[in-house]
Amino acid sequence: DTAVSQTPKYLVTQMGNDKSIKCEQNLGHDTMYWYKQDSKKFLKIMFSYNNKELIINETVPNRFSPKSPDKAHLNLHINSLELGDSAVYFCASTSGADTQYFGPGTRLTVL
Amino acid sequence: AQSVSQHNHHVILSEAASLELGCNYSYGGTVNLFWYVQYPGQHLQLLLKYFSGDPLVKGIKGFEAEFIKSKFSFNLRKPSVQWSDTAEYFCAVNGGGATNKLIFGTGTLLAVQP
């Protein structure tokens, strides 16, 4: 019955590696988001897709590349990981301007 | 540009005390307003939201918030907190439009002492 799911929950990796985080929602929503929560708990939007089309790209380094194979999935691929990428990444989904439902988060630690 | 300010970064209360967390936003148009809660180690959950109508909205777990348009505020209240309310609280605004992105405040960490 999970509404928005993310994998993995924890990700520990070395600087310079490439990694992916996956997100799936079973709510039938048409819009999905990636947010980054830093060590001070500040949440900032990174990307948004509506029906597989990118609609928000917030000054995120191009090492981050989102991909939406269908409207129920939004994955985040990160190239050449840096220490500053360590954070919790949350996926969310919604329909229209209604409530956004968040996934459990992926805690990324770059060593 | 839209922005959200939460004045209290860290609040410590004893159980049964009353709670009010401030939230002010900066946006000239129609907004949708939200309060989310993040319990330790968990994801964000919706507490309540305001889209239109009665400016006093009630949410889950006894929380309520009042939208005061003239003050650009959406303060969160609870008459009597419990230890289980210990969490981070985020105010957010959505100005609608094509992107519907949420702009979050910096969060308020509430610690309730038993």
Side-chain angles (χ1 to χ4, degrees):
Chain A
D1 274 86
T2 304
V4 183
S5 59
Q6 293 179 229
T7 53
K9 191 168 182 180
Y10 299 96
L11 188 51
V12 181
T13 189
Q14 300 285 336
M15 269 198 311
N17 285 351
D18 304 337
K19 290 292 178 186
S20 292
I21 307 172
K22 296 187 176 183
C23 178
E24 177 181 0
Q25 54 95 4
N26 62 6
L27 297 166
H29 290 160
D30 52 15
T31 305
M32 296 183 73
Y33 305 82
W34 278 111
Y35 288 86
K36 180 180 180 180
Q37 187 176 46
D38 63 23
S39 57
K40 295 184 179 177
K41 301 281 188 164
F42 183 61
L43 274 155
K44 193 172 191 305
I45 190 162
M46 299 173 70
F47 300 104
S48 176
Y49 270 75
N50 178 272
N51 281 320
K52 302 194 296 175
E53 188 177 332
L54 180 67
I55 57 172
I56 298 175
N57 184 342
E58 293 276 316
T59 58
V60 178
N62 57 14
R63 297 182 294 106
F64 290 77
S65 52
K67 280 191 173 49
S68 181
D70 55 62
K71 72 176 190 177
H73 295 85
L74 179 62
N75 304 324
L76 183 65
H77 187 76
I78 316 170
N79 287 327
S80 303
L81 278 156
E82 301 177 356
L83 292 176
D85 298 331
S86 294
V88 182
Y89 293 85
F90 287 100
C91 177
S93 72
T94 189
S95 273
D98 209 334
T99 304
Q100 290 187 22
Y101 291 85
F102 285 80
T106 296
R107 183 175 293 276
L108 171 65
T109 304
V110 182
L111 303 174
Chain B
Q2 295 175 334
S3 66
V4 179
S5 299
Q6 290 183 241
H7 320 297
N8 319 100
H9 295 294
H10 196 178
V11 172
I12 303 173
L13 294 173
S14 298
E15 274 193 315
S18 64
L19 170 72
E20 180 159 1
L21 301 182
C23 173
N24 285 89
Y25 65 93
S26 166
Y27 185 66
T30 302
V31 293
N32 297 331
L33 296 156
F34 304 83
W35 275 99
Y36 281 87
V37 61
Q38 187 177 25
Y39 297 104
Q42 295 191 26
H43 64 288
L44 283 89
Q45 301 171 44
L46 181 71
L47 267 182
L48 46 79
K49 63 186 179 184
Y50 173 80
F51 283 12
S52 64
D54 189 344
L56 184 62
V57 292
K58 295 194 183 299
I60 60 171
K61 304 186 182 189
F63 286 90
E64 65 179 32
E66 186 175 11
F67 170 54
I68 303 180
K69 190 174 180 180
S70 60
K71 294 185 179 180
F72 297 90
S73 70
F74 190 55
N75 292 355
L76 181 72
R77 299 194 292 248
K78 184 171 183 178
S80 176
V81 295
Q82 300 172 309
W83 177 77
S84 58
D85 293 324
T86 294
E88 190 94 27
Y89 292 82
F90 294 94
C91 182
V93 61
N94 178 341
T99 62
N100 290 322
K101 66 179 181 181
L102 279 178
I103 306 297
F104 282 90
T106 49
T108 297
L109 178 60
L110 171 65
V112 180
Q113 297 174 331

